[in-house]
């Protein structure tokens, strides 16, 4: 039913963190606003879990050179990514942070990679604001920020 059902790579249990309220049948509809993503990591339990998982991998490194962060820009995960890069920047100030901001391709027919395009001006406003806030926050806490999309306009028209 979801893309991860077809993932043939076995991931370490410490590398997966499920956000329960935003699952396909979760309490909330979807993670659609930058602020929702930021608020997720303001929860002390969520932040502590993330830090524990991060420290698990950092302690395994012989010589940590930096981090690569990939996150969506067009939805609430831009807020999650902004908080994660801020955490990395604060805790590992001497390490490089390469951040990739990803946006999907929007076709003329209103279909995004096989999913219906959200209707309404409010959804489009959320999308635009998420991208703008994501670019500002991610670039301010990263050594290098690269927006990445197959569309030349990052999906902004």
């Amino acid at each position: 039913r979801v893309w991860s059902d077809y993932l043939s790579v076995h991931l370490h249990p410490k590398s997966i963190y499920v956000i329960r309220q935003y699952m396909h049948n979760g309490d909330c509809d979807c993670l659609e606003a930058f602020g929702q993503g930021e608020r997720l990591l303001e929860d002390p339990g969520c932040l502590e879990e993330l830090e524990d998982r991060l420290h698990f991998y950092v302690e395994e490194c012989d010589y940590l050179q930096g981090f690569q962060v990939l996150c969506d820009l067009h939805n609430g995960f831009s807020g999650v990514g902004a908080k994660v890069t801020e955490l990395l920047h604060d805790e590992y100030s001497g390490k490089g942070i390469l951040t990739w901001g990803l946006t999907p391709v929007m076709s003329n027919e209103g279909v995004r990679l096989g999913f219906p395009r959200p209707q309404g001006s409010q959804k489009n406003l959320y999308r635009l604001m998420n991208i703008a806030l994501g670019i500002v926050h991610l670039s301010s806490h990263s050594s290098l920020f690269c927006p990445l999309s197959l569309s030349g306009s990052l999906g902004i028209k």
Side-chain angles (χ1 to χ4, degrees), residues 58-73:
V58 168
E59 290 169 2
E60 293 294 316
C61 293
D62 291 332
Y63 180 69
L64 178 66
Q65 295 180 0
F67 301 92
Q68 284 195 55
V69 178
L70 285 87
C71 79
D72 290 334
L73 285 178

Side-chain angles (χ1 to χ4, degrees), residues 21-108:
Q21 62 265 41
Y22 295 106
M23 290 179 63
H24 288 279
N25 293 322
D27 298 336
C28 300
D29 208 12
C30 63
L31 188 59
E32 62 184 13
F34 184 89
Q36 287 175 308
E38 279 188 318
R39 277 191 301 278
L40 278 175
L41 292 183
E42 289 173 357
D43 174 35
C46 182
L47 186 59
E48 184 179 324
E49 182 69 26
L50 177 68
E51 287 176 336
D52 287 345
R53 290 166 186 261
L54 177 64
H55 290 290
F56 172 79
Y57 283 107
V58 168
E59 290 169 2
E60 293 294 316
C61 293
D62 291 332
Y63 180 69
L64 178 66
Q65 295 180 0
F67 301 92
Q68 284 195 55
V69 178
L70 285 87
C71 79
D72 290 334
L73 285 178
H74 66 283
N75 58 24
F77 283 102
S78 62
V80 173
K83 281 298 197 184
V84 167
T85 55
E86 183 179 350
L87 170 75
L88 293 173
H89 183 264
D90 292 345
E91 288 204 24
Y92 303 97
S93 59
K95 305 301 180 188
I97 302 170
L98 171 59
T99 305
W100 304 91
L102 311 170
T103 58
V105 173
M106 300 297 284
S107 71
N108 294 335

